[in-house]
Amino acid sequence: MLNQPITENIPIGTLGVIDLALPKITFDSENAGPTLVFVAGQHGNETTPLFVLKKLIQKLSDSPLAKGRLVILPVVNPLGLIFKSRREPLDGGNLNREAPGNFSKDLDKRTAAAIFSQCKNANLVVDLHTFSRQCPFVGVFIKGNANAEPLAKFALRAINPDCIWQIDTTRAEDTRYVGALDVALTLKGIPAISLEMERHLTIAESMIDRVALSLLKLLAEFGMYAGEINMPLSLPAGGLAKFIISLSLLPINVPLAVAFSNNISHPKAIHIN
């Protein structure tokens, strides 16, 4: 049946006699359409996205894609998940600073290369993360490639997070993010965004539902999903007018700002180190 996902493993190396691989889940409508890639688990101690993806997969198993293809990479740092490590435990690298990676180097760089290779032909990539402290539902927008930015904005409007954190790769202060997956993809002209949410010990079940349904809504906006989506009727206090950005405030008259605020004219800027 078309709504049953295809599961496979992407080899990344060996550890003694153990073969290491990344799990890959693919929903393929077998109808022409966009390819979206959802990535999770670059940091092994960030487990909230697994709960979100579980709900998303359950929904997609009940109602198949109408067109296109969705690839889910749910655990891209498997040893990190086992050892509850933010970094890749063997080499100590931060996978989200290694993109686009290198298949000829150590395990962390080979893993980053495997992730990047799965994303490079996508129409859009969404990278799921968890903040180390309580936070709103945050979308990350990468500024740095005019070809990739419009679709990233389109995706963020569809997902409707509480806040937007802008990373501007043209600013010296933000060059520390150049090895991040979403940044590396954007600089190559591949639309990519990230989502940040609370850690699993503090996040509410309603927020997990909201993020999962937001991803379904994104698929619907691409014409890929025609099933029922029961989004929450109310939003957190303050609406969608708060902006978390890196050192510079988006002009309030640009479409992205207007899209997230119908009732507040001056977004709030918060700098995150």
Side-chain angles (χ1 to χ4, degrees):
M1 297 176 62
L2 295 181
N3 59 328
Q4 295 306 307
I6 301 167
T7 59
E8 57 187 303
N9 293 316
I10 306 165
I12 55 173
T14 59
L15 179 60
V17 297
I18 301 173
D19 293 327
L20 299 177
L22 308 181
K24 176 181 177 180
I25 302 168
T26 303
F27 287 88
D28 194 339
S29 69
E30 297 188 359
N31 296 319
T35 295
L36 270 61
V37 179
F38 295 167
V39 179
Q42 288 204 76
H43 298 135
N45 61 342
E46 298 180 2
T47 56
T48 306
L50 290 174
F51 297 95
V52 171
L53 291 176
K54 179 182 178 181
K55 287 184 176 291
L56 177 68
I57 290 169
Q58 288 172 340
K59 286 284 188 180
L60 292 174
S61 296
D62 294 336
S63 183
L65 294 182
K67 68 177 184 179
R69 183 169 167 264
L70 172 65
V71 175
I72 300 175
L73 305 177
V75 182
V76 295
N77 183 2
L79 291 179
L81 178 64
I82 292 171
F83 292 104
K84 300 180 181 179
S85 170
R86 175 179 174 83
R87 295 177 175 268
E88 191 283 300
L90 292 184
D91 299 310
N94 181 348
L95 291 183
N96 205 32
R97 295 296 183 272
E98 300 286 359
N102 188 323
F103 282 111
S104 301
K105 299 294 184 179
D106 293 335
L107 180 61
D108 53 355
K109 293 177 176 59
R110 293 202 308 272
T111 303
I115 299 166
F116 196 87
S117 69
Q118 293 293 315
C119 297
K120 65 182 181 181
N121 295 317
N123 296 97
L124 175 74
V125 176
V126 180
D127 189 17
L128 305 175
H129 285 272
T130 304
F131 270 138
S132 59
R133 57 182 70 89
Q134 288 182 301
C135 72
F137 178 26
V138 179
V140 183
F141 173 71
I142 312 301
K143 182 178 175 61
N145 186 298
N147 293 324
E149 289 174 15
L151 201 54
K153 292 179 181 180
F154 173 85
L156 286 169
R157 291 189 188 100
I159 291 171
N160 214 11
D162 298 325
C163 308
I164 300 295
W165 171 12
Q166 176 178 281
I167 294 175
D168 186 346
T169 59
T170 66
R171 296 179 62 91
E173 294 86 350
D174 284 352
T175 56
R176 57 182 167 162
Y177 300 114
V178 167
L181 178 63
D182 53 358
V183 175
L185 288 166
T186 298
L187 293 178
K188 292 285 188 181
I190 304 162
I193 63 170
S194 288
L195 301 177
E196 297 274 1
M197 60 205 85
E198 285 190 51
R199 60 196 184 118
H200 73 283
L201 294 175
T202 59
I203 194 168
E205 185 75 17
S206 59
M207 179 58 75
I208 293 174
D209 288 338
R210 178 185 165 193
V211 178
L213 291 173
S214 294
L215 293 175
L216 274 182
K217 187 171 182 291
L218 175 65
L219 296 174
E221 291 292 329
F222 273 89
M224 298 170 63
Y225 182 75
E228 185 177 3
I229 304 174
N230 296 313
M231 292 296 293
L233 296 177
S234 61
L235 293 171
L240 295 171
K242 300 183 291 298
F243 282 74
I244 298 177
I245 63 177
S246 180
L247 297 181
S248 59
L249 181 62
L250 282 170
I252 63 171
N253 60 342
V254 300
L256 184 63
V258 173
F260 287 100
S261 175
N262 294 322
N263 55 4
I264 301 179
S265 58
H266 291 81
K268 182 179 180 182
I270 309 172
H271 176 59
I272 292 182
N273 292 318

